[in-house]
Amino acid sequence: MGEAPSVQKEHILCILPFPEPTEILRNIQKKHPQVEFTYILQPITASRAWNTDAKDIPDETFKKATILCTLASLPSDPKLVPNLKFIHFFSAGIDHVRSTPIYKDTVIPLTTSSGIHGPQISEWVIMQMLSFAHKEKLLLQLQKEHKWGKHSEFGQLKDYVGQRLGVLGYGSIGRQTANVCKALGMDVIAYTASPRTTPESKKDTGYIVPRTGDPDGVIPSAWYSGLDKASLHNFLSQDIDVLLIAVPLTDETRHFLGKEEFEILGKKNAFVVNIARGSIVVQDELIAALKKKEGGLRGAALDVTDPEPLNKDSELWDMENVTVTPHVSGMGTMYLERSFEILERNLTLLEQGKKLINVVDRKRGY
């Protein structure tokens, strides 16, 4: 009898801004004994949160790697990683690496952590919606001043039953937000770049946190698509009460929402929530729409701004109808575990010779 074929050794290089999760790595090695890890802690600093420079990593360390796990750090020269089978990013978006040689000049598969952010970001979105509707800013101020507020200040509160959520970008975050908003009694409509006209096309084929999201795409009462202005305006014209911006940042979506789009949303006095990227909106035109007393936006919750950090003199800081948070909606205690779960799943698929999940389409940019 011939010997069984040996499983190829995998050397996984992790360059991450988190302390080494030894228990998680140990569990992966139990399932995949052929795997060995090199873990390099590269702390986030003000100058390198999304800095792709990895010049401080020895060339030999890169050359040994068959899989690279990173938030942003990449070798400057693809020749340094001749053995890479894929790169796993610990972020959902990869707009910060699109100008790198690895992205532009190679066909190395790139996988993302898309799907892990749905629970915590949807909770942030719901928190902002409810806080705005129930005047949480005023309540906190009254408590700080030891004042018992007047009921007349709160009598006109409107709940979300029957209101419409428009999800601009129906990915994992949009699907879980839709899931929760449906439980509030809201109607949901979805927007995607390409048409989703069949049951199969509406399914979520990426990583899904158990018991979350909309795996089969059955929640929206209607779907819209198209990156041209006419298609976008058609979607925005559907009496949207709350717009969730959840599209990836690409050349097509940069400054996707400006004066014209906010005028359409202003007809319904919509509330805008942005958890995607700040430059998807034209920020000055968003501010103008928020300041309009007639036909403007009723408020906004922004976890992302343009630029980041937001300039100290930006009007957004002091606007009563705006909440600004420092790009923290995706943070949570399960972040690392879920991202490594995607890596482990792809290790299994690699061993089986099957297609990886969460693979970036370079032409689309996500």
Side-chain angles (χ1 to χ4, degrees), residues 131 185 226 246 269 280 320:
S131 294
N269 197 216
I280 290 169
E320 285 298 320

Side-chain angles (χ1 to χ4, degrees), residues 13-24:
L13 172 61
C14 299
I15 309 172
L16 294 168
F18 323 104
E20 183 173 350
T22 53
E23 188 63 28
I24 291 175

Side-chain angles (χ1 to χ4, degrees), residues 111-123:
T111 64
T112 73
S113 294
S114 178
I116 74 170
H117 304 85
Q120 64 270 38
I121 293 185
S122 64
E123 289 178 10

Side-chain angles (χ1 to χ4, degrees), residues 315-329:
E315 291 182 79
L316 289 169
W317 291 113
D318 299 312
M319 297 178 73
E320 285 298 320
N321 59 344
V322 175
T323 297
V324 176
T325 62
H327 206 149
V328 294
S329 64

Side-chain angles (χ1 to χ4, degrees), residues 309-361:
L310 181 63
N311 296 330
K312 289 186 176 181
D313 59 355
S314 173
E315 291 182 79
L316 289 169
W317 291 113
D318 299 312
M319 297 178 73
E320 285 298 320
N321 59 344
V322 175
T323 297
V324 176
T325 62
H327 206 149
V328 294
S329 64
M331 298 179 71
T333 58
M334 296 299 293
Y335 193 106
L336 265 186
E337 183 175 323
R338 287 171 180 157
S339 192
F340 272 110
E341 188 177 326
I342 295 173
L343 170 69
E344 192 279 321
R345 190 175 299 182
N346 275 333
L347 273 174
T348 300
L349 293 171
L350 184 69
E351 291 167 6
Q352 296 172 346
K354 296 180 179 178
K355 289 183 179 180
L356 307 181
I357 63 169
N358 283 19
V359 177
V360 171
D361 181 334

